[in-house]
Structure formats: C-alpha cells, structure tokens
Amino acid sequence: MDGEQHPTADGPLPEVVDWILATVVALVGLLSVVAGSALVFLVDRDGLAAGIEDGTVTVTVATTELTDAEALEVADAVVSWTGAGLLLVGIGTVLVAVGYLVARRRAHRRSKTGEPTGSYGTYAVLGAVVTVVLSFVPFSPALGGGVAGYLERGESDRTVSVGALAGFLPAAPVLAVLVFVLGGLIAGLLTIGQIGEAIVVGTTLLLTALLVATLAAALGALGGYAGGRFAERRATTSRPQRAPDDG
C-alpha cells in the first residue's frame, strides 16, 4: 500500500474472513486444475478422432466446413491449449490465494503492534467473490463492486477503483483461459492452412473477451461509487447532532 491513511470500514475485517476468501479462491483454482488435468490426460487424439467420426464431436469455424481430418487438427490443438491454460491458470489462482492469506496475516500482525494497515485488497477480493456467487444475477459485477465500495467508505477516494477491481478480478482468469483457447484455435487453423479464418476468428474472440472484461470493470466501478456514496450517507445520518450553543 502507499502508506497514506484512507478512511475505510469501522475496523479491519476478522481474520476468519481472510481464510474464507482464500479458501474460495483456492477452490476455484483447484477446479480449474481438475478440468485442465482431465483435458490433458484423459482426452487424446484417438478419442477426438472417434468422436468426430461418429458425430459426437463437431467442429465449425465461422461458415467454413471442415473435413474430418481438418476438424481433428483444430480440435486437438484447442483441447491441448485449453487444458494447459486451465492447468496454469488454476495453479496460479491457488498461489494467489496462498499469497493473499500470507499477506493478510502479516497485515494483522502489524495492526496488533499499532502500525497502520489497509484492507483495500481484501475488500476487492470480497467484492469479487460476491460477483462470482451472484453471477446468475444480471450485472453482478455492480453488486460486487458495491460491496467493496461500501466497505472502503465514501470518504475514501478509492471506492471507484476498488469496485472496478472487484468487477475485473473474476474476469481475469476467464480472460487468461480464453487466451489459451484462442491460441489453440489459431494454431489449429494455421495447421490446416486457414490463415484468413485464423485472423478473423482470433481478432473477434480477443476483442469480445476484452470488451467483456472492460464491461465487468466498468460495472464494478459504478457499483463501487454507489456503495461508497451509500456508506457516506449512512454515516452522515447516524452521526449524532450537536446541540446549538446558547450563547
């Protein structure tokens, strides 16, 4: 942190919250590792070939009809790259959860000695978890950002940024996996000589992923602003009024 004091919630969140958040993030990472391992170790080229032959696996690229041999090349590349991406992103997510927990434990130890500490990162992660849990609700990044902004407090100038971070964090691992999917798709299309399709599909998918991530961050920022304003108004209305001076 930058060392500057920012008014936030009434007190630091309990350590149990850090453990819960780290556990949730680690579980998401482990699920990604399991999915990646399944693709890497259980799905092989022969199985894909059999699936394409009997129609279980279909590969369609825009309006281009692929032969079974071409479909196999593309499917094999996509599966290989996606499996590797899920593995790497999952392992990275678990490491982030461990690093987060270590950093928060150090912050709690510093707070016990009277050193100033902040919970900006914790609020962002908490908001991100809320976004994921409420992902079935439209515009859930705004809700997660609102929680983060409320905890950061309206007096702080970081409610918008913490909300944006809360909205973007859930999209970050998805974006990373999509990069691997895109890499596999482009590699497969280049293998069969579909250079034009590779450029068009790759550009479209990349722009779509970036748009989704940007929208999630923007909704989170909007929620963070609203949450901060609500916290500020709530603090103002609950503040005791001073009695007027007689003289």
Side-chain angles (χ1 to χ4, degrees), residues 7 149-157 159 225 227-232:
Y150 176 83
L151 292 173
E152 184 63 23
R153 288 305 196 208
E155 294 89 345
S156 171
D157 57 357
T159 55
Y225 174 79
R229 294 285 300 196
F230 178 74
E232 184 179 12

Side-chain angles (χ1 to χ4, degrees), residues 98-124:
V98 173
Y100 166 80
L101 188 59
V102 170
R104 291 303 302 162
R105 285 177 62 85
R106 289 177 178 174
H108 280 289
R109 284 200 296 267
R110 289 197 303 270
S111 66
K112 291 178 182 178
T113 62
E115 297 181 48
T117 58
S119 297
Y120 180 89
T122 302
Y123 300 152

Side-chain angles (χ1 to χ4, degrees), residues 4 6 13 23 40 64 75 81 96 111 116 119 128 156 188 196 201 211 239:
E4 184 182 353
H6 293 272
L13 294 178
T23 300
V40 171
T64 303
W81 279 67
V96 167
S111 66
S119 297
S156 171
V201 173
L211 177 62
R239 193 174 298 153

Side-chain angles (χ1 to χ4, degrees), residues 126-234:
L126 179 57
V129 171
V130 171
T131 298
V132 173
V133 172
L134 299 179
S135 58
F136 61 92
V137 179
F139 309 113
S140 61
L143 300 177
V147 172
Y150 176 83
L151 292 173
E152 184 63 23
R153 288 305 196 208
E155 294 89 345
S156 171
D157 57 357
R158 305 185 301 176
T159 55
V160 172
S161 65
V162 75
L165 186 58
F168 175 76
L169 282 177
V174 177
L175 187 61
V177 173
L178 284 178
V179 169
F180 281 91
V181 175
L182 180 59
L185 183 59
I186 292 176
L189 290 174
L190 291 178
T191 300
I192 63 176
Q194 296 286 345
I195 299 177
E197 291 286 355
I199 295 175
V200 172
V201 173
T203 302
T204 302
L205 288 179
L206 183 59
L207 291 177
T208 301
L210 291 176
L211 177 62
V212 171
T214 301
L215 180 61
L219 287 173
L222 182 62
Y225 174 79
R229 294 285 300 196
F230 178 74
E232 184 179 12
R233 178 171 299 182
R234 183 170 178 270

Side-chain angles (χ1 to χ4, degrees), residues 23-37 89-91 93-94:
T23 300
V24 171
V25 174
L27 286 176
V28 172
L30 289 175
L31 288 176
S32 180
V33 169
V34 171
S37 300
V89 171
I91 293 172
T93 303
V94 173

